[in-house]
Amino acid sequence: MSILLNQLAETRAFIQNKVKSEAAVGIILGSGLGNLANTIKTEIAIPYEEIPHFPVSTVEGHSGKLILGELSGKKVWVMSGRFHFYEGYNPQQVIYPIRVLHTLGVKTLLLSNAAGGVNTSFKVGDLMIINDHISMFVTNPLIGKNEESIGTRFPDMSQPYCKDLIKQVQNIADANHIDIREGVYVGVTGPTFETRAEYKMIHLLGGDAVGMSTVQENIVAVHCGMKVFAVSVITDLGIREEENIITHEEVLQAAKDAEPKLTLLISELIKAL
Ligand code: HPA
């Protein structure tokens, strides 16, 4: 067996030894969206540092948890906190938890993130369903030996975000009078926010929002055959006439403010799955 498959088997055995329940839905909560975890009836929460082969946190006091719980009457795996490339993890470390979720039986992955708006009609606090992405500014996490038992060498990426899930969330948003946008997410490495010229370039390339996560996770999830739904909270605007200074605090606050809307959408989506 390859090193990767061995590691995944060890990680799975460790988790399944702690908890017997299974869940077919996985959720990854982005910056400022961690409170959604509080609406989950937690069965077990395992700190990342206890899980074999999970990346070791580079930031003190910033470690997350893998939670198994119940949301809308369904069992879900929740990653409260994710690993970013800009923290110094290599792409294989960033996406390792996605592969773990896959080995645990997750078939549908729901991703959330904070992102900068580059579509000029967007406002801070808007929610944007990601209907496609541009990943070329980050390292593709599938570079290296391909594990055929997980997925094909050259995955098709013509529909990286599941159309049916998008439709379902649009319907839920309509029924609850939540205004929701849709667009293309451009993945960048960070940790710098973009310059004015870079936001303009991303806009010209067809991006509606830009952020530092999600695209590598999506690629790996598609590779192993999961259905993916992803949503961005627009936490700042990249293209503005006036002076434009973006701070991490502003991003976190905007994400927090949008959390009730996002919680409703995700809870209702899980109910409908
Ligand atoms: N750029 C990149 N990543 C981000 C932004 C941004 O403006 N806002 C939140 N995450």
Side-chain angles (χ1 to χ4, degrees), residues 114-117 185 188 192-194 199 210-212 233 235-238 246 251:
Y185 175 95
V188 291
T192 44
F193 292 116
E194 288 63 41
Y199 282 121
V210 54
M212 305 174 196
V233 177
T235 54
D236 53 273
L237 301 176
I246 297 166
V251 166

Side-chain angles (χ1 to χ4, degrees), residues 115-129 180-185 207-210 232-240:
V118 287
N119 180 317
T120 50
S121 75
F122 285 3
K123 297 184 303 297
V124 168
D126 278 352
L127 295 179
M128 183 193 89
I129 294 173
I180 195 149
R181 315 299 192 115
E182 203 180 309
V184 174
Y185 175 95
D208 297 293
V210 54
S232 293
V233 177
I234 303 301
T235 54
D236 53 273
L237 301 176
I239 297 184
R240 283 191 284 197

Side-chain angles (χ1 to χ4, degrees), residues 211-254:
M212 305 174 196
S213 66
T214 303
V215 292
Q216 291 177 321
E217 296 159 353
N218 171 277
I219 287 169
V220 169
V222 169
H223 180 239
C224 63
M226 288 180 184
K227 283 200 248 178
V228 183
F229 173 80
V231 59
S232 293
V233 177
I234 303 301
T235 54
D236 53 273
L237 301 176
I239 297 184
R240 283 191 284 197
E241 289 306 319
E242 70 271 26
E243 208 41 47
N244 189 17
I245 295 171
I246 297 166
T247 66
H248 185 48
E249 288 68 34
E250 167 191 6
V251 166
L252 289 181
Q253 190 57 48

Side-chain angles (χ1 to χ4, degrees), residues 8 14 23 27 33-34 42 49 57-58 88 98 114 121 138 146 148 177 184 230 233 248:
L8 286 168
F14 171 86
I27 309 176
L33 302 167
T42 301
E49 62 265 23
S57 176
T58 55
I98 310 293
S121 75
V138 304
N146 186 55
E148 284 294 324
H177 311 289
V184 174
V233 177
H248 185 48

